[in-house]
Amino acid sequence: MDMTNSLGMGLSTSESLDILHADISQLLRQVDGNNRTGENGWMSGWPFHHRDVRSTLPWTTIGIWVLQGAALFTAYAMVSQDMDRRDSLVVEAFVVLLVAMVSCYVIGWDRKLHREEMINKVKVVLKDLEACIQTCCELGWGEKLYPDLYMPSCPAITALWTYRDSQLVNLPAALLVRGDIIALRPGQTVPVQCRQLEDDGSLELQPGEIYSPRVSNSEDPPSDPRPVPPLRPCRFLVTHTAFTSNVRMCLENCHRRPASVQDRERHDIHRLVEWRLLPLTLILILLVNLLRYFLLRDDVGHWAEMLLALPVYATLPLLPPLLPWLWLGLNTYGTARVLALVQAGKVQQSLPVQWSWVRSLMWEVLTGRTDSLPRTANILHTLGTVTALCCVDKRGVLSCPNASPEKVFFLTSLEDDGIGSEVSSETEEKINDLTENIAKGSREDVKIDLKSQDVSFKASAEKLQRDENVTNEETHANEEKQTSNTAVQEDLVDVKAVFPESFSEDDFYECHAEVLDITADPHSTCGIQFDDARWERHLNSLKPLGLNILLNNCNPLTVERNASFMDHLNCVSKDMGGRAILRYRRCLCQLVHQIGFSDKVLELFKLRLQVAAYRGLGSGLGQDQLSRRSSFLRNKLPVPNMVSVVTKDYTTGMLQLLTHGTADIVLDSCTDFWDGVDLCPLTDKDRKKILDFYHRMSLSAYCSAFAYRPLEKHVSRQLGEVFFELPVKDLDELRGSDTPTSDARPEELASPVQTDPGRTTGDSNPSLSSHDKDRVIRNEQDWFSSQSRQVFIGMVSAQYQAKQDVVHMIEDLDTACIRFVHFSAEDELRSRIFSEKMGLEAGWNCHISLLSSMEDRSRHSSGLDGERSRHSSSETEGPARRSKLQLLGTHTEEQVPILEHAQVTFRDEVSEHLLPESPEHEVSEAVTDPSKKCDLPGQLCVSGNQSLVDSSNVLRQCSYESQNSRYSAEFGSQDNALIRADDVISMETDVTSHQSDVFDMTNRAKLPRGIENIRPHLENVDNVPLLVPLFTDATPQATKEMLQIMQEYGEVVCCVGSSTNIQNTGVFLQADVSVAVEPEYPQLCMRHGACPVSQCQEQGSSPCVLSCALNTLPCSVVFDKEHNYTSILLQMVQEARHLVLCIKNCLLFLLGCQLSISLVQVLSAVVLLPPPLSGGHVLWLSCLVVPVLSASLVAKETDKTVMTSAPGKNQNHVPLESVLQFSLHYVGRFVPSLGVCLLCFAFILHAVCTKVSPPGACHPMFGNRNMTLSWNGYEGEYSTGLVLAQECCCFLMVLYFGVTSMSYVHRSQPLWKKLPFTNIVWLVSFLIMLVLQVIYFAVAMAISTSKHSVHFSLRDVPLSAWLLGLLWVIFLVAGNELVKLHETRLSVRYQKRAKLQFGTKLGMNSPF
């Protein structure tokens, strides 16, 4: 375009980056200032709020610790000076307060990092911007670093034509800044606020609106082919930096993500212990000690010890001082391991990951230097409990970036399995020769013989020329024999002009439709392969098709003109109610290479001209009929359009016309078809087959038709400078002419090519007239007359194929009970087809449309949810005009009549919706009753207020289906969502009573439609909207709302989307965690390899990399297109699940141990024993032994069976059933060991008392009650005996904790199936703790012995205590395994229930 040569326009790269840096910096300072002044709420900045789910240290816990420290200090001051443990009280108080202070600092620092995490990530982006500014200050970015200007449209990539460094580039939308000059293409969506620079400059567009300039003369329907000036891109000035709104949204809403399941469970358990269990324990211990003090004053200790110290010892374990540290450390370690997997996957390193990576990542996560957002979007917690993985982009992420050919359609006379007509002996010889030639060599030798192909085309030209000469002679001979009724047939070409007498009746045999299925094969050289192993016998039919694709579709010289035509057609479709357009710039080089063409074929042809045409809405229709023509089916079929190229063959010097477009308009310009051997005239039955295939494929795929004819006259280049709008035949004209039937003989068929009434038959095709060879085609009438007798070659349907790794990922996710949810921006039919390719269930009751009303539906069909600009054209309301030159017929309109009220259903669904009551009776009545006559054969028969399908059509359809079983078998295997032409039943009713869509292709289940109806359905009906895997017609706002609904109902959502789509930022921010994937860029032609932007990541500084960094601010992980994100993501989910279960296992063990430390104190007071553990023991166990044993449980090897279990919901509270189960299992695992410890403690005390007291003076529980010292002498000279008993009790508790932890190593597998010693870290930690406990034992005994003259040792421990304490280990192991088996049974039962709920897709509207 001339716009690319505009110099001195727009900003330079450095200037634009400076503006972007300044705007983001200003916004960052503003938001940071609001956070510092507390404008966002004091709770968001205070890390110790008791209702903050993410806070691991509420202010109530800090207050309890301070009170406990103060109580110990008070007890130290109150007890007597000669008390042995008096000095330890002050040490214990100091330790408690010190741990509380350090915990407050650590949590406050962690919450500060949490609050500034998004701010720091934005600052990192600003540093990248500064680096880009420095590197681009002189030269800027090279043109190769931008996506191609004419890159095929892809919703996953948001880019606009922008003037940068005095050149027009395809700039990612995230880099648009105020002052940029953009070139908006017609029909393009605006992602930024801008103002028009051309014309009066009054047009301003807001984000989400469409630039839709007015098409000239769009109000006046054409009566002749009308040249239309192409719509050009328009320059706009960007008035607001595009990404600042997204940055503000990220900074203000990054802390509003839902809390994780682990945070909620920890918070709920903490509150339960702190607000329920701790007060109960405190009241119980105080009550017991008060009773003991007043009733047994001589048998207890000092009142300060009884009422201050002992309650602290009993309640301190309930709030573990190191729990915040342990929680932070475990999460840091788990997050580092998951991120290390990402790094290993990106560099394709084998597992397990290196410890050095984990260690360095732990430091980055701990200090907040990572950009994975471990605090605002905890990737460990979310992936470990994810229940729904949602994908919001399709092309390049879930599917291949380019649509690949799926089916090839052509008509052939080649016999196949006995089906087909008789072929002449000459044809058989040609087929045999072709088969022999193919069989002589290998597949590599099967190449296109251009000479033989040219001979075939030359023969076709000679045949057309012979037909034309015969036509001229017969026309002059019959001029005098015309009768008065010629006025009725003046618009029709003489039938013998098309089918001359040289064709006898026997020459017309019925050809059958051949459909070759194609399967994507990434291992083959061409990337595809034909399913039919004998496809090469159809090479004669495929050769012209491949050449047409190569010269028209995949010709690099046609790219710019095709893009301009598509932009123009996009605006035209808006005026037609948002009708779909065929993006025919789809590379089909895979098919061309599979056929056998090489890239050198283009060197043998020269492009001379390119002419594009389209057909709009028909004239002569009322407003109601116009609205009904905007029905479902019509909106799904593309706007009729075609592009013709004129090429010159260097080898023969011939001019060739190659046409590519929609089948309806291409077929109207064809009179013959190539059957692989010779030219055959197109009958009405052939046209029905072609249109049937086209209608089916157009609803779910991208179908295009190809035609050909030779030219003997040059074409003026002026015809290629405009587009042509073709007229549409009126209903009146249809009623005034006869439509050929499928069973008509050739001589009875009227030509589909119609000419001007004033022209003779000989002038209907002057391009082939012998006396007009030297003329040049200069006007549109001559041009369309010259191309009106083309040869139909075939059709190709293309479809976006799901990536194989995506299919495998969905299967693995289904095994893991993770629901894969696809949010598709396409309509329900196309979305269902692609979802089924991915392996999703998309049938009945398995998909929901998020589109709300009819207005939204029509607006969404145009690809936008925004409003149109002021340049949008109004609906055509011009008067009906009679076409004077109908060069192209309207067979499509005949096949798809005007429908007013019909129900389109699927073959496998309820049949009662197909026809009215007693359809057989009505059809037979229509056949036998001559009073019910039809205005037009093949159209609607009217009788009263009802209309039925014409009886001839019904009978002909029955015959057609019976005679073409093979054809029906080929097409009937399509998805049940595909429409059948004979399923469309028209019923004539009052047109004013039906203002809705006449086609109902939506989900017929009683599911909500529209995002605003989802919540009422969930509240009042059932939960099916949470179980469906497909949401169609999804806009970014509707997707965000649906994600929020899923989160409100307990779903943990991981969102996967394109990193190059600026609209994904808000969706990423809504999900619990987001993963961005750089999509594969669509290619103009696969022959030229990957798009230049594929090297962006290696350049360091590039617009694509910078745009991805901005769009993925809320994302925890970003994958490049070279990475296999599906396998890495599955490994991340597996690792996160394993670590989350390990952390949960660790905390449950920690909770059980801490409860045991507290409970043993309470039980000793209840049974009137001295305290079995001192304050030092409580701190030793709570701050070292138990945390180390608990943390070691996380170090076990990854359990792959976690990918077969179902995760739980993110509930707002811990279920009471879970609390009761934990209590039961706790009693079975820990309480018996506490009883053994107390028994051993009592045995040792009794042995000590017996050693120093007279016989019979020792009470079994109180000791020697004749003593006057505290605790009956255990606090005085004989206090070493109490120390010995407490040390032995502490050692037994450490031993029992370690043995009990054996059952926590492999929680779901019994001991005899998997030994716990596979966890080396746990084994080493257990042994180290035992050794340290022995050292602690020895040091404590040494210190106590040095202070007193009476000594006690292990020899004073009775044999009963030794036997009971050591032999209990055996029973403890057996008891723990029994409890584990019970837990396993409960878990299996829960998993079965959860998997059953996961597999249930249907709700209350389920069919029986």
Side-chain angles (χ1 to χ4, degrees), residues 717-1013:
R717 293 189 178 273
Q718 296 179 354
L719 297 178
E721 297 176 357
V722 294
F723 302 142
F724 291 95
E725 182 180 2
L726 305 181
V728 181
K729 183 180 293 186
D730 308 345
L731 287 180
D732 295 337
E733 284 186 305
L734 288 175
R735 293 186 177 95
S737 61
D738 294 333
T739 303
T741 61
S742 61
D743 295 332
R745 291 190 175 274
E747 59 268 24
E748 298 172 356
L749 291 175
S751 171
V753 184
Q754 300 179 6
T755 57
D756 195 348
R759 300 173 63 96
T760 64
T761 309
D763 295 334
S764 63
N765 200 347
S767 63
L768 296 179
S769 300
S770 58
H771 55 81
D772 289 338
K773 289 185 178 180
D774 298 332
R775 291 178 54 189
V776 178
I777 301 176
R778 301 184 183 277
N779 55 63
E780 54 271 16
Q781 287 83 3
D782 293 339
W783 162 250
F784 284 101
S785 297
S786 65
Q787 74 158 4
S788 60
R789 296 187 62 190
Q790 297 191 51
V791 178
F792 178 80
I793 298 177
M795 290 183 290
V796 177
S797 70
Q799 182 64 275
Y800 287 95
Q801 303 296 330
K803 297 181 179 180
Q804 289 301 315
D805 52 351
V806 173
V807 176
H808 297 327
M809 180 187 70
I810 294 176
E811 294 175 354
D812 294 337
L813 290 176
D814 186 73
T815 304
C817 294
I818 299 175
R819 198 175 310 280
F820 183 87
V821 182
H822 181 208
F823 287 90
S824 174
E826 297 178 321
D827 59 78
E828 296 185 24
L829 184 56
R830 292 186 184 273
S831 301
R832 288 180 58 187
I833 296 299
F834 181 75
S835 296
E836 290 177 354
K837 289 180 178 292
M838 292 191 296
L840 298 178
E841 293 187 29
W844 194 82
N845 220 20
C846 290
H847 63 92
I848 293 177
S849 173
L850 298 181
L851 201 59
S852 302
S853 60
M854 296 298 300
E855 293 77 15
D856 293 335
R857 187 180 309 175
S858 62
R859 184 164 60 246
H860 178 76
S861 64
S862 63
L864 248 294
D865 56 349
E867 297 179 356
R868 301 187 58 193
S869 66
R870 294 180 221 169
H871 278 199
S872 60
S873 302
S874 58
E875 293 292 335
T876 57
E877 297 179 357
R881 295 195 176 191
R882 182 72 57 120
S883 299
K884 296 181 180 179
L885 180 61
Q886 297 289 351
L887 296 176
L888 302 177
T890 55
H891 291 278
T892 305
E893 302 297 337
E894 296 171 9
Q895 294 294 335
V896 185
I898 301 174
L899 302 173
E900 298 180 354
H901 184 65
Q903 181 83 11
V904 176
T905 57
F906 308 133
R907 284 284 187 180
D908 55 348
E909 294 183 4
V910 186
S911 60
E912 62 185 8
H913 295 278
L914 290 175
L915 291 170
E917 295 183 6
S918 304
E920 297 83 356
H921 173 71
E922 294 183 10
V923 172
S924 60
E925 182 182 358
V927 173
T928 56
D929 190 358
S931 62
K932 299 179 180 180
K933 67 177 182 178
C934 301
D935 293 337
L936 182 64
Q939 294 296 321
L940 306 180
C941 298
V942 182
S943 175
N945 294 328
Q946 294 183 345
S947 64
L948 298 175
V949 179
D950 183 40
S951 60
S952 61
N953 282 347
V954 175
L955 299 177
R956 186 167 60 249
Q957 179 60 31
C958 298
S959 174
Y960 172 75
E961 290 186 355
S962 62
Q963 295 175 4
N964 295 276
S965 59
R966 176 180 177 275
Y967 175 70
S968 301
E970 290 174 344
F971 298 153
S973 61
Q974 301 296 326
D975 186 86
N976 57 2
L978 300 181
I979 257 188
R980 291 177 176 265
D982 25 310
D983 286 345
V984 181
I985 308 300
S986 177
M987 300 166 59
E988 185 80 2
T989 54
D990 186 7
V991 296
T992 60
S993 62
H994 300 283
Q995 299 297 331
S996 60
D997 276 353
V998 298
F999 279 87
D1000 184 14
M1001 287 289 293
T1002 59
N1003 192 351
R1004 293 176 56 217
K1006 294 182 180 180
L1007 289 179
R1009 180 181 180 88
I1011 188 63
E1012 71 279 358
N1013 298 320

Side-chain angles (χ1 to χ4, degrees), residues 494-699:
D494 194 338
V495 293
K496 295 185 179 182
V498 182
F499 303 106
E501 294 179 355
S502 58
F503 291 104
S504 63
E505 181 178 346
D506 296 335
D507 291 335
F508 291 95
Y509 49 84
E510 181 181 358
C511 294
H512 68 271
E514 186 73 30
V515 178
L516 297 181
D517 293 326
I518 302 176
T519 303
D521 184 12
H523 303 292
S524 65
T525 56
C526 301
I528 60 173
Q529 64 178 3
F530 288 97
D531 294 349
D532 188 357
R534 300 184 301 163
W535 68 270
E536 292 175 344
R537 61 198 179 97
H538 299 292
L539 269 179
N540 274 6
S541 297
L542 296 176
K543 285 178 182 180
L545 185 64
L547 184 63
N548 197 329
I549 294 173
L550 202 59
L551 297 180
N552 192 338
N553 209 44
C554 297
N555 193 340
L557 300 178
T558 63
V559 171
E560 183 177 344
R561 188 66 174 174
N562 285 337
S564 176
F565 182 55
M566 284 298 99
D567 295 339
H568 183 95
L569 208 59
N570 200 4
C571 286
V572 173
S573 68
K574 302 295 188 304
D575 296 333
M576 299 171 65
R579 188 168 179 177
I581 63 173
L582 176 63
R583 292 286 184 180
Y584 59 88
R585 269 301 307 179
R586 303 187 186 279
C587 179
L588 299 175
C589 287
Q590 291 176 316
L591 177 60
V592 173
H593 292 166
Q594 183 69 14
I595 294 174
F597 279 97
S598 64
D599 297 339
K600 296 182 180 180
V601 176
L602 286 175
E603 301 176 0
L604 304 179
F605 296 89
K606 179 181 180 181
L607 179 66
R608 300 296 298 270
L609 189 66
Q610 188 176 1
V611 182
Y614 65 92
R615 184 165 58 206
L617 284 174
S619 59
L621 298 178
Q623 189 64 30
D624 294 331
Q625 292 174 328
L626 283 174
S627 64
R628 287 193 301 275
R629 279 200 173 187
S630 299
S631 63
F632 176 87
L633 179 61
R634 183 184 164 277
N635 277 318
K636 301 310 173 187
L637 295 180
V639 175
N641 67 91
M642 64 178 178
V643 176
S644 301
V645 295
V646 179
T647 60
K648 181 178 181 181
D649 188 350
Y650 286 128
T651 59
T652 62
M654 292 179 57
L655 292 178
Q656 298 180 1
L657 175 67
L658 304 170
T659 301
H660 176 208
T662 58
D664 43 11
I665 194 171
V666 172
L667 187 61
D668 291 341
S669 63
C670 296
T671 57
D672 302 273
F673 69 89
W674 175 254
D675 70 342
V677 180
D678 203 351
L679 293 183
C680 302
L682 276 169
T683 65
D684 190 54
K685 184 178 292 185
D686 298 330
R687 295 179 182 274
K688 178 176 175 57
K689 294 177 183 179
I690 296 172
L691 289 177
D692 187 26
F693 177 87
Y694 170 69
H695 289 157
R696 294 174 187 276
M697 293 298 103
S698 295
L699 292 178

Side-chain angles (χ1 to χ4, degrees), residues 348-369:
Q348 297 181 354
Q349 180 173 339
S350 59
L351 301 178
V353 296
Q354 300 178 4
W355 168 247
S356 59
W357 289 5
V358 178
R359 186 175 61 249
S360 61
L361 286 172
M362 282 182 64
W363 179 250
E364 292 180 1
V365 172
L366 191 62
T367 56
R369 298 177 182 176

Side-chain angles (χ1 to χ4, degrees), residues 1096-1389:
C1096 283
Q1097 299 295 340
E1098 301 178 1
Q1099 302 293 334
S1101 169
S1102 69
C1104 298
V1105 173
L1106 191 57
S1107 172
C1108 290
L1110 290 172
N1111 292 329
T1112 59
L1113 281 178
C1115 297
S1116 299
V1117 180
V1118 180
F1119 290 103
D1120 302 333
K1121 67 173 75 68
E1122 294 82 6
H1123 303 149
N1124 186 4
Y1125 76 94
T1126 56
S1127 61
I1128 300 177
L1129 189 58
L1130 286 173
Q1131 292 177 2
M1132 292 169 61
V1133 172
Q1134 175 179 307
E1135 189 72 13
R1137 273 196 177 186
H1138 167 75
L1139 291 171
V1140 162
L1141 290 178
C1142 288
I1143 293 175
K1144 182 178 181 180
N1145 197 27
C1146 161
L1147 294 180
L1148 289 176
F1149 175 74
L1150 175 73
L1151 179 60
C1153 292
Q1154 295 298 122
L1155 290 177
S1156 299
I1157 297 173
S1158 176
L1159 184 59
V1160 75
Q1161 300 284 80
V1162 176
L1163 291 178
S1164 66
V1166 171
V1167 298
L1168 307 179
L1169 287 175
L1173 299 174
S1174 65
H1177 291 146
V1178 172
L1179 291 176
W1180 168 261
L1181 294 175
S1182 300
C1183 296
L1184 182 62
V1185 177
V1186 174
V1188 170
L1189 288 177
S1190 301
S1192 65
L1193 298 175
V1194 183
K1196 72 173 184 178
E1197 61 183 6
T1198 304
D1199 185 10
K1200 296 183 179 180
T1201 59
V1202 296
M1203 293 300 288
T1204 60
S1205 59
K1209 299 289 185 179
N1210 190 1
Q1211 301 177 355
N1212 294 327
H1213 61 280
V1214 177
L1216 180 61
E1217 181 182 0
S1218 300
V1219 177
L1220 295 178
Q1221 289 180 4
F1222 171 79
S1223 303
L1224 178 63
H1225 297 154
Y1226 170 76
V1227 171
R1229 275 197 168 100
F1230 291 94
V1231 173
S1233 299
L1234 299 183
V1236 173
C1237 289
L1238 288 179
L1239 284 176
C1240 293
F1241 178 69
F1243 290 162
I1244 296 174
L1245 285 180
H1246 189 267
V1248 168
C1249 179
T1250 304
K1251 180 179 180 180
V1252 297
S1253 301
C1258 291
H1259 190 273
M1261 299 179 62
F1262 301 116
N1264 190 356
R1265 306 190 70 178
N1266 296 326
M1267 295 288 185
T1268 57
L1269 298 176
S1270 298
W1271 301 108
N1272 291 329
Y1274 292 133
E1275 277 293 342
E1277 189 67 22
Y1278 310 121
S1279 61
T1280 306
L1282 179 61
V1283 172
L1284 175 63
Q1286 289 179 338
E1287 294 298 334
C1288 289
C1289 182
C1290 184
F1291 176 81
L1292 289 177
M1293 292 193 68
V1294 173
L1295 177 63
Y1296 296 157
F1297 286 163
V1299 173
T1300 304
S1301 65
M1302 291 174 56
S1303 63
Y1304 283 85
V1305 175
H1306 302 295
R1307 190 77 180 274
S1308 59
Q1309 293 178 319
L1311 185 64
W1312 55 86
K1313 288 188 177 180
K1314 195 164 188 178
L1315 294 175
F1317 308 117
T1318 55
N1319 188 346
I1320 304 299
V1321 176
W1322 167 83
L1323 181 60
V1324 172
S1325 301
F1326 180 32
L1327 295 177
I1328 290 176
M1329 288 301 103
L1330 286 178
V1331 172
L1332 290 179
Q1333 183 61 41
V1334 171
I1335 296 175
Y1336 186 93
F1337 184 102
V1339 171
M1341 289 298 298
I1343 293 175
S1344 178
T1345 302
S1346 64
K1347 294 181 180 180
H1348 303 89
S1349 58
V1350 180
H1351 299 167
F1352 296 93
S1353 64
L1354 290 176
R1355 290 178 301 213
D1356 299 322
V1357 177
L1359 181 61
S1360 58
W1362 284 111
L1363 292 176
L1364 179 61
L1366 296 179
L1367 292 179
W1368 174 249
V1369 173
I1370 302 175
F1371 296 97
L1372 180 60
V1373 172
N1376 285 334
E1377 289 304 311
L1378 291 176
V1379 174
K1380 183 192 292 187
L1381 290 177
H1382 184 262
E1383 284 183 334
T1384 303
R1385 284 196 295 268
L1386 292 179
S1387 177
V1388 170
R1389 185 187 307 169

